[in-house]
């Protein structure tokens, strides 16, 4: 496939003709668009252009489009790096995934959240061609994972939940092995292995056997393997599971670094990861999508109740607090500390102050509880799907 820094000479006659006719060069960023979506390749031997036998689009049809239509066509294809379309996976009588759909745009980092057994890993295995869906379709970079699995794999990097490393291999040896499987030339493999060792912080460990590495470094090796062929889409299944706090920070930083020019979707049930990394959150529960929104919008839209924490200097009866206008529920949270849940749309702060004055109590604490991702996750995943 055409590399980013290749000199595109000679220019294909079809493109040269159109470039001469239309001066809007933004439309003709063909180096990236056509290389991926029309599957144009350059012969290294003859330095001439040819098309794959199973070409995805008709050049003649594309070049008949006006520049505006052409730009929109490629922009749409390019924007949907990963598209899940109504997929269902059935094991016996159980639906592991039930008719779910979502898409991930180029450059997005999306957190795929859900409790254990919700269908996260199953969805990722389908997206990476490891298992077929019972129904539905998945496209990666425009390639259908069932019809063109090899092409989809070429532009996908995958780190499974259980990192499948060859423990008896050395780090550098393993990465060279992964590069050869990905079809990289020996010179390109050497270049990418060196880049991954530096990027993933494996310099000190590169000549060690994988079996001697800590779990944090094994995850780094797994991530380097997923990145070795410079994929367009990166799919990570619980990449920080089982790591200690220091390792968590390091792996998150690494994911953030490598995601600058890639589409990333990673599964997790750790809320801090989502806050630290994600542009968008998709929540799955019992095989069904229950939320798909930006983190900010999710925090706002899912705030179904307003909670206040209050503390008095003296003793007060719980039943008395329930008489405050606008209070739906009151719970004891400690000595003279209470959790007050307001009725929908009610701001009870003024009423709490008046209540304290009437009872001749000193109010020493009144705090609004902000909606947290943890509480939203709990609310979304404890409701029937």
């Amino acid at each position: 496939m055409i590399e980013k820094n290749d000199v595109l000479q000679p220019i294909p006659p079809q493109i040269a003709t159109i470039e001469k006719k239309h001066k809007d060069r933004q439309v003709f960023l063909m180096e990236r668009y056509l290389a991926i979506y029309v599957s144009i390749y350059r012969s290294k031997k003859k330095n001439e252009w040819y098309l794959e036998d199973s070409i995805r689009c008709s050049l003649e049809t594309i070049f008949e489009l006006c520049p505006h239509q052409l730009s929109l066509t490629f922009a749409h294809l390019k924007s949907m790096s990963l598209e899940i379309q109504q997929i269902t996976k059935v094991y016996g009588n159980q639906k592991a995934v039930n008719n779910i759909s979502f898409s991930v745009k180029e450059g997005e980092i999306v957190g795929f959240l859900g409790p254990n057994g919700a269908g996260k890993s199953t969805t990722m295995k389908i997206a990476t061609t490891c298992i077929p869906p019972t129904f539905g379709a998945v496209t990666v970079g425009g390639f259908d994972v069932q019809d063109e699995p090899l092409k989809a794999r070429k532009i996908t990097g995958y780190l499974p939940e259980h990192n499948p490393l060859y423990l008896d291999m050395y780090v550098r040896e393993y990465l060279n092995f992964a590069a050869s499987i990905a079809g990289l030339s020996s010179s390109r493999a050497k270049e990418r292995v060196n880049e991954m060792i530096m990027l993933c912080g494996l310099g000190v460990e590169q000549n060690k056997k994988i079996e001697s590495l800590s779990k944090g470094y094994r995850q780094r090796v797994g991530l380097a393997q997923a990145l070795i062929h410079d994929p367009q889409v990166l799919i990570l299944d619980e990449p920080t599971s089982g790591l200690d706090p220091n390792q968590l920070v390091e792996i998150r930083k690494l994911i953030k670094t490598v995601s600058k020019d890639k589409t990333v979707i990673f599964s997790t049930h750790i809320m801090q990861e989502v806050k630290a990394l994600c542009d968008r959150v998709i929540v799955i529960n019992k095989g069904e999508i229950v939320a798909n929104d930006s983190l900010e919008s999710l925090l706002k839209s899912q705030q179904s109740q307003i909670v206040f924490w209050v503390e008095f200097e003296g003793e007060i009866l719980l039943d008395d607090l329930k008489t405050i206008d606008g209070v739906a529920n009151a719970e004891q949270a400690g000595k003279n500390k209470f959790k007050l849940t307001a009725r929908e749309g009610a701001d009870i702060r003024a009423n709490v102050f008046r209540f304290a004055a009437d009872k001749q109590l000193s109010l020493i604490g009144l705090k609004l509880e902000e909606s947290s991702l943890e509480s939203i996750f709990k609310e979304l995943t404890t409701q029937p799907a």
Side-chain angles (χ1 to χ4, degrees):
M1 188 173 286
I2 300 168
E3 297 295 338
K4 198 171 186 179
N5 297 320
D6 280 347
V7 178
L8 303 184
Q9 296 291 341
I11 297 175
Q14 298 99 321
I15 295 178
T17 301
I18 296 181
E19 278 201 302
K20 186 175 181 181
K21 184 177 179 181
H22 304 286
K23 300 301 182 183
D24 184 2
R25 295 192 62 83
Q26 184 178 0
V27 175
F28 299 104
L29 297 175
M30 299 299 185
E31 174 187 20
R32 191 167 188 180
Y33 294 161
L34 292 185
I36 296 174
Y37 297 108
V38 191
S39 303
I40 294 181
Y41 290 79
R42 185 175 58 183
S43 166
K44 292 183 179 179
K45 293 181 179 179
K46 299 182 180 180
N47 194 34
E48 62 186 22
W49 294 72
Y50 66 100
L51 303 178
E52 273 193 279
D53 293 336
S54 57
I55 187 168
R56 295 188 56 74
C57 305
S58 166
L59 274 177
E60 291 77 11
T61 301
I62 290 174
F63 292 139
E64 286 173 1
L65 298 174
C66 72
H68 178 65
Q69 290 172 316
L70 183 61
S71 177
L72 290 178
T73 299
F74 285 128
H76 172 73
L77 288 170
K78 174 173 173 285
S79 66
M80 299 302 174
S81 288
L82 173 64
E83 192 157 10
I84 307 288
Q85 300 172 331
Q86 298 178 316
I87 64 167
T88 295
K89 182 63 179 179
V90 179
Y91 294 104
N93 295 324
Q94 181 183 1
K95 284 186 178 179
V97 176
N98 185 19
N99 193 34
I100 69 170
S101 299
F102 64 86
S103 59
V104 185
K105 297 179 182 179
E106 183 184 36
E108 268 194 308
I109 305 179
V110 173
F112 194 34
L113 278 69
N116 292 329
K120 303 186 300 294
S121 293
T122 299
T123 303
M124 290 186 156
K125 287 176 182 176
I126 293 172
T128 53
T129 76
C130 295
I131 60 174
T134 306
F135 306 107
V138 178
T139 56
V140 180
F143 298 116
D144 189 295
V145 299
Q146 294 185 84
D147 296 339
E148 299 169 295
L150 293 179
K151 292 178 183 177
R153 290 175 193 169
K154 283 183 178 180
I155 61 171
T156 303
Y158 178 41
L159 178 61
E161 179 181 3
H162 303 292
N163 195 354
L165 300 172
Y166 291 100
L167 301 183
D168 59 339
M169 296 182 78
Y170 294 89
V171 172
R172 179 175 283 275
E173 178 189 16
Y174 173 74
L175 293 179
N176 272 305
F177 173 67
S180 66
I181 290 178
L184 274 62
S185 65
S186 57
S187 59
R188 180 63 175 157
K190 183 178 179 180
E191 178 185 345
R192 287 296 294 170
V193 168
N194 288 333
E195 288 176 3
M196 290 304 98
I197 286 175
M198 180 176 293
L199 179 66
C200 296
L202 293 167
V204 177
E205 314 294 332
Q206 61 180 302
N207 295 315
K208 291 183 180 180
K209 276 194 173 183
I210 295 173
E211 66 181 359
S212 68
L213 301 181
S214 67
K215 181 160 186 180
Y217 275 106
R218 290 187 187 189
Q219 288 297 89
R220 288 171 182 262
V221 174
L223 192 54
Q225 168 273 138
L227 290 164
I228 196 73
H229 55 301
D230 196 17
Q232 175 187 341
V233 178
L234 191 59
I235 298 177
L236 310 173
D237 194 354
E238 300 202 14
T240 61
S241 177
L243 301 184
D244 66 39
N246 291 332
Q247 293 169 336
L248 283 172
V249 172
E250 292 170 356
I251 294 297
R252 286 175 195 161
K253 183 178 179 181
L254 181 55
I255 293 172
K256 193 75 173 178
T257 299
V258 302
S259 65
K260 290 179 180 177
D261 60 348
K262 301 187 186 303
T263 298
V264 180
I265 179 169
F266 70 92
S267 68
T268 184
H269 50 260
I270 302 173
M271 300 303 106
Q272 290 85 349
E273 286 181 6
V274 177
K275 296 173 185 175
L277 295 172
C278 293
D279 302 314
R280 184 158 56 95
V281 178
I282 298 171
V283 183
I284 186 171
N285 183 41
K286 298 180 181 178
E288 298 185 4
I289 301 296
V290 293
N292 182 357
D293 211 336
S294 69
L295 184 56
E296 182 181 0
S297 297
L298 196 59
L299 287 169
K300 290 180 180 178
S301 64
Q302 292 295 329
Q303 189 170 2
S304 58
Q305 60 183 16
I306 301 174
V307 173
F308 292 90
W309 296 89
V310 298
E311 183 177 0
F312 299 94
E313 189 175 30
E315 293 185 2
I316 183 70
L317 295 176
L318 186 62
D319 288 341
D320 287 344
L321 290 172
K322 294 179 181 179
T323 65
I324 298 174
D325 188 26
V327 171
N329 189 38
E331 301 173 41
Q332 187 93 31
K335 185 178 179 181
N336 302 328
K337 295 181 181 179
F338 302 89
K339 176 183 177 182
L340 303 183
T341 302
R343 294 194 182 97
E344 186 174 355
D347 186 346
I348 63 173
R349 285 173 289 188
N351 296 339
V352 171
F353 277 109
R354 280 193 291 269
F355 172 84
D358 292 342
K359 296 288 185 180
Q360 296 182 343
L361 293 168
S362 294
L363 182 63
I364 59 176
L366 177 59
K367 181 181 179 182
L368 172 65
E369 179 184 74
E370 294 184 2
S371 180
S372 68
L373 190 57
E374 287 82 358
S375 62
I376 292 170
F377 178 81
K378 184 178 180 180
E379 181 181 345
L380 289 170
T381 57
T382 53
Q383 296 174 352

